[in-house]
Amino acid sequence: MGTVARFTQPTTRRAWFIGLAVCLIAGLILMGLRSTTKVSASQKGQTGARANIQVMLNGAESINLNSSGNLGVALLGGAAFDVKSVDPASLSFAGASAMKVKGTDVPPSSASSSDKGGKRPPTFNIAYKDVNKDGYADLVAYFPIRGLSQLSAGTREAFLRARTYGGAAITGSQFVQATGDRQKKAPKGDGTCNGGTITINDDDAATPYPSAINVTGQTGVISNLTVSIFNFNHDFAQDVSVLLVGPTGQKMILFSMVGASFTAAENVNLTFDDAATAYLPIDTAIASGTYKPTNRAGQDLFGDVDFFAPAPQATPASPYYATLSSFLGTDPNGTWSLYVVDNAEGDSGSIDSGWCLDITTAPSVTTCAATLLQGSFVAGDTTQTGRLFRDGIPSECVGTAKTCPGDNPDSSKDTLHYDTYTLTNQNTSPVCVTVTTTSSCGFDVFTSAYLTSYTPPPPGTNLCTNYLGDEGLSPQDNGLNQSFSVTVPAGATLVLVANEVDPMDPLCEEYSLLVEGNICPVVTGSCTLTCPANITTSNDPNQCGAVVNYPAPTTTGSCGTVTCSPASGSFFPKGTTTVTCTATGGGDLLAPAGGGPSCSFTVTVNDTQPPTITCPMNVTAVTAQTCPPSSTAIVTYPPPIASDNCPGVVTACTPPSGSTFPLGASTVTCTATDTSGNTATCSFTVTTFSGCLQDDANPAIVVLFNTATGEYRFCCNGTIFTGKGTVKQQGCVIQIEHNPADRRVLIRADFAAHSGTASLQVPAGKTICTITDRNTSNNTCQCGSTPPTKSPTK
């Protein structure tokens, strides 16, 4: 953990904030409780067309979340919107799905009509009637109040989502008043939830770190995503930052440095949705509700926001995203990780009831990918005199537009370098564009936004000409910064300006601007890009991955050059890799680079190659020389040798080395298992004898014997003879005699005196080896277990 300069005493931190209070106070605009009128009949964006809704409370003033009834919600039709085009099966409101009933005359979902098996298709508790008396039919649906998981007590924005039979997304919202003190819980056992508690440790990573959800069984790619956190508690909520990382590597900050100073979060339930109409506050306490992701990392007055390892880090080439749209078009299956950190001393907290993902999928999604603008300040850049004042307030798409803060008097005479980047909103409706600055320069870069054009000073008043917004503060020392957002009108040009804060530091130059938002053309005949289907293949032989060739995306319209990364023919490692394809034509005109529509698909390489394993040679062991002779021995043997095409192979043997082995031959089986579950086995034998005699004059002459069975192994001048004789025992003296037609074997051992003799005649009457062993305690007993020749055994 890096060293962070902070005020550790609460009184010191309070005094610090009181001194800054005058500069940081901002007003909040409260919105009404009844139906909004955010309607755009054909608006095309990442969150779908907007429509009017009306929550039908039947005379009640609020929704009692503790009740077991249902709630009616009307989706209002109009001249440009036929509600009968909406698929009832797609309806959801504040986390609840539309109720199903039997015997209704309402037509079922067209999606259900293709169900197989002869079952009656489901019907839904909906009706078509003119609720607002405007002459157009409205769709009224009913939802179980117990299922309104995205609502909690207070004034909340509730979202209705649906799709037409043709697949077009529809979104409507209304502020409602809710009552009830139930504590929301993340459902346990749901594949998109983790109900476990996350303990937020003081000035450290949370436990667990990360908290994970393993999503399986989803089809298609992500077309909409919301994230909910249940029962967030912390004594000083501004200390906490939360990073979400998807299965394919996308990383975005859900929230950071939010809430007023010295305010606690108590059992707060938060849902994050790009379509929400509010950000989390900076000057009031956090309340339960639905919010846009809110990254205010640049406003950490006590030090940098650090997501400790193993969380992925942000760099100018790979910054953190600021919107959930960064996950659109990716495969939802795999491990999702939530990294929670506390970056200031003195307080701790928890997320008591876990978190959930709300994932909507579609066969494919054509979206405008985020644009990464990378630059640096160099001597040849254009210059201006002075710069904007950094007032600490990031501009936002909601509420009252930020007023230009004017120039900074301390830099009014400085000559500063700057770069500009131009994007055009070719949609037919306004677009909210989010910009995040990441820099190797720390605080020595500052980003602002202008409409149509930018005229640098002098005079200083030019800084406010065509002004749209700015980030409020520069990045922190670690290069991370808060995001800011501006609304770009339809057809308008957005100019982003990256400024030096102080005259150029030659050691600090690189930065990036990550631009997120649906700022691509929707004109008929423009470029449409369709990626190939997801690909699954096995690894190449002896490789932890495979070279994969895939077909090029199909195009319609003027797409220009289409590039995919990683390119076809690349080596793809084991696991799932997202391929993103982008067209240079039919998209935004960007200075200094160009970009158009994009699509993505996944390449999954499965490791199907088993590992290899080689067992050690057969092992011979001798029991402890005791009287009476021991019947077991503890045997230690060398481990097997295993290898695999991917790192991480492990081995295990049964019985394991160091086990107790009985007299006779025992088989040991060893298994190698790689990280994909592929296995390979081998085996060897451990042969245990009761005793061993080794000739004092010639140590190469050895006999091993089993006092229980009479089996022996006689090593005589390089030849091994095996057989089974008759055992006679008198006290501690053991005698084994074997007299077949081809030999005579006599073994006599005194286990009390630790001595013995042996002789071998081949053929009978011709002695070829004798053993005299006056001290068995110093024997090495080396007599090979795999003889070059074998004599017949009778």
Side-chain angles (χ1 to χ4, degrees):
M1 185 185 306
T3 301
V4 179
R6 305 185 188 275
F7 295 103
T8 59
Q9 297 299 323
T11 54
T12 305
R13 176 152 63 179
R14 185 177 296 110
W16 176 268
F17 274 102
I18 291 173
L20 294 178
V22 174
C23 298
L24 298 179
I25 292 177
L28 293 178
I29 297 177
L30 298 178
M31 302 184 72
L33 301 181
R34 300 304 293 170
S35 175
T36 62
T37 57
K38 300 176 292 183
V39 181
S40 177
S42 61
Q43 179 179 351
K44 182 177 181 181
Q46 294 171 349
T47 57
R50 303 292 295 186
N52 280 335
I53 69 170
Q54 181 177 329
V55 179
M56 306 171 69
L57 300 177
N58 297 325
E61 295 183 358
S62 62
I63 303 170
N64 180 2
L65 298 176
N66 292 325
S67 67
S68 58
N70 56 51
L71 179 70
V73 181
L75 178 62
L76 304 181
F81 178 36
D82 181 4
V83 295
K84 293 185 179 180
S85 67
V86 175
D87 184 350
S90 68
L91 288 165
S92 68
F93 179 72
S97 299
M99 298 178 66
K100 297 178 181 179
V101 294
K102 295 180 179 180
T104 180
D105 294 330
V106 176
S109 161
S110 65
S112 64
S113 63
S114 61
D115 290 347
K116 298 179 180 180
K119 296 182 180 179
R120 179 182 177 87
T123 54
F124 294 86
N125 188 7
I126 66 172
Y128 298 109
K129 54 186 177 181
D130 188 359
V131 172
N132 57 356
K133 308 302 182 183
D134 63 352
Y136 296 98
D138 307 312
L139 188 159
V140 180
Y142 293 88
F143 303 88
I145 292 178
R146 288 289 188 183
L148 304 178
S149 60
Q150 296 175 358
L151 291 185
S152 57
T155 303
R156 307 286 176 249
E157 185 177 18
F159 285 85
L160 182 140
R161 300 183 186 279
R163 286 187 177 272
T164 66
Y165 288 118
I170 300 168
T171 301
S173 68
Q174 177 179 321
F175 279 84
V176 296
Q177 180 72 31
T179 62
D181 57 359
R182 72 181 185 194
Q183 192 176 66
K184 292 171 69 173
K185 295 283 186 181
K188 295 183 179 180
D190 188 331
T192 57
C193 291
N194 183 337
T197 297
I198 300 173
T199 301
I200 304 175
N201 302 307
D202 181 27
D203 198 19
D204 204 347
T207 305
Y209 187 80
S211 174
I213 295 175
N214 187 35
V215 175
T216 59
Q218 299 274 350
T219 58
V221 295
I222 298 174
S223 59
N224 192 74
L225 174 67
T226 64
V227 182
S228 296
I229 291 176
F230 301 101
N231 297 315
F232 169 46
N233 295 274
H234 199 277
D235 296 334
F236 199 102
Q238 278 194 1
D239 292 356
V240 180
S241 299
V242 178
L243 177 71
L244 177 66
V245 180
T248 53
Q250 283 79 2
K251 52 186 184 290
M252 63 87 58
I253 294 179
L254 277 180
F255 69 90
S256 177
M257 285 301 299
V258 297
S261 305
F262 302 105
T263 59
E266 298 182 2
N267 290 325
V268 174
N269 300 310
L270 301 173
T271 295
F272 295 95
D273 188 335
D274 284 346
T277 56
Y279 294 89
L280 281 166
I282 188 62
D283 51 5
T284 59
I286 299 174
S288 296
T290 300
Y291 301 93
K292 291 179 179 290
T294 310
N295 172 17
R296 303 187 190 276
Q299 293 181 285
D300 185 348
L301 302 180
F302 299 102
D304 295 351
V305 171
D306 294 315
F307 289 103
F308 312 117
Q313 302 303 301
T315 66
S318 180
Y320 293 140
Y321 286 81
T323 66
L324 291 164
S325 64
S326 58
F327 297 100
L328 300 188
T330 66
D331 186 351
N333 295 295
T335 300
W336 293 75
S337 300
L338 197 72
Y339 295 90
V340 182
V341 297
D342 180 304
N343 278 137
E345 294 178 347
D347 306 284
S348 60
S350 62
I351 299 174
D352 288 340
S353 301
W355 60 293
C356 283
L357 303 165
D358 187 355
I359 300 172
T360 304
T361 61
S364 63
V365 177
T366 301
T367 63
C368 295
T371 301
L372 183 63
L373 308 173
Q374 294 180 271
S376 60
F377 297 128
V378 295
D381 286 348
T382 52
T383 60
Q384 65 183 45
T385 302
R387 58 170 172 78
L388 281 175
F389 178 70
R390 294 175 297 174
D391 61 2
I393 304 172
S395 60
E396 297 176 343
C397 289
V398 300
T400 304
K402 178 179 176 179
T403 302
C404 178
D407 66 335
N408 178 16
D410 292 337
S411 66
S412 60
K413 295 182 180 180
D414 289 338
T415 298
L416 303 171
H417 295 79
Y418 73 93
D419 296 325
T420 59
Y421 301 87
T422 303
L423 303 93
T424 301
N425 176 17
Q426 300 184 44
N427 289 283
T428 58
S429 57
V431 170
C432 178
V433 175
T434 302
V435 182
T436 307
T437 305
T438 305
S439 173
S440 63
C441 307
F443 57 81
D444 203 28
V445 62
F446 183 66
T447 307
S448 52
Y450 291 81
L451 187 64
T452 305
S453 63
Y454 172 68
T455 304
T461 54
N462 285 346
L463 287 169
C464 291
T465 302
N466 298 330
Y467 170 86
L468 270 182
D470 66 74
E471 60 187 348
L473 290 174
S474 297
Q476 304 169 79
D477 289 337
N478 65 356
L480 299 186
N481 196 25
Q482 65 193 5
S483 302
F484 74 100
S485 57
V486 293
T487 300
V488 182
T493 298
L494 170 68
V495 180
L496 297 176
V497 182
N499 274 106
E500 281 185 301
V501 173
D502 295 309
M504 188 171 66
D505 179 352
L507 299 179
C508 182
E509 300 176 353
E510 296 179 352
Y511 65 85
S512 68
L513 309 180
L514 182 65
V515 184
E516 300 172 71
N518 189 37
I519 190 164
C520 61
V522 293
V523 180
T524 301
S526 63
C527 171
T528 299
L529 201 60
T530 303
C531 276
N534 295 340
I535 296 173
T536 300
T537 187
S538 296
N539 65 288
D540 289 341
N542 301 319
Q543 299 295 315
C544 193
V547 174
V548 178
N549 293 286
Y550 54 80
T554 58
T555 62
T556 58
S558 301
C559 292
T561 302
V562 177
T563 58
C564 297
S565 180
S568 179
S570 298
F571 181 83
F572 287 78
K574 184 189 79 170
T576 299
T577 302
T578 298
V579 179
T580 300
C581 300
T582 304
T584 59
D588 301 312
L589 297 177
L590 209 63
S598 66
C599 63
S600 62
F601 63 100
T602 60
V603 173
T604 300
V605 179
N606 294 322
D607 177 17
T608 58
Q609 178 175 331
T612 61
I613 185 170
T614 302
C615 276
M617 297 290 292
N618 294 337
V619 176
T620 299
V622 179
T623 66
Q625 300 300 287
T626 61
C627 182
S630 175
S631 62
T632 61
I634 296 176
V635 180
T636 300
Y637 53 79
I641 299 173
S643 63
D644 192 51
N645 57 305
C646 291
V649 63
V650 295
T651 61
C653 295
T654 303
S657 179
S659 297
T660 298
F661 285 78
L663 292 175
S666 301
T667 299
V668 177
T669 301
C670 297
T671 302
T673 305
D674 65 17
T675 56
S676 297
N678 302 308
T679 61
T681 61
C682 64
S683 62
F684 63 99
T685 60
V686 173
T687 304
T688 306
F689 292 95
S690 307
C692 163
L693 298 178
Q694 187 172 20
D695 187 54
D696 293 340
N698 186 355
I701 301 177
V702 176
V703 64
L704 299 161
F705 52 88
N706 187 328
T707 60
T709 64
E711 292 176 290
Y712 63 85
R713 183 187 300 165
F714 210 128
C715 292
C716 175
N717 298 320
T719 302
I720 300 175
F721 297 85
T722 61
K724 183 176 181 180
T726 302
V727 179
K728 296 180 181 179
Q729 181 172 354
Q730 185 174 3
C732 293
V733 177
I734 305 293
Q735 178 176 297
I736 298 175
E737 187 174 2
H738 189 212
N739 297 314
D742 66 329
R743 76 185 79 168
R744 295 288 185 272
V745 176
L746 180 63
I747 303 168
R748 187 176 185 277
D750 188 336
F751 279 79
H754 301 291
S755 62
T757 61
S759 64
L760 172 65
Q761 298 178 5
V762 178
K766 181 180 180 181
T767 300
I768 62 172
C769 280
T770 61
I771 296 175
T772 300
D773 191 347
R774 289 181 288 271
N775 183 7
T776 62
S777 62
N778 61 1
N779 290 351
T780 58
C781 299
Q782 298 298 315
C783 184
S785 61
T786 307
T789 61
K790 274 193 173 182
S791 298
T793 302
K794 297 184 179 178

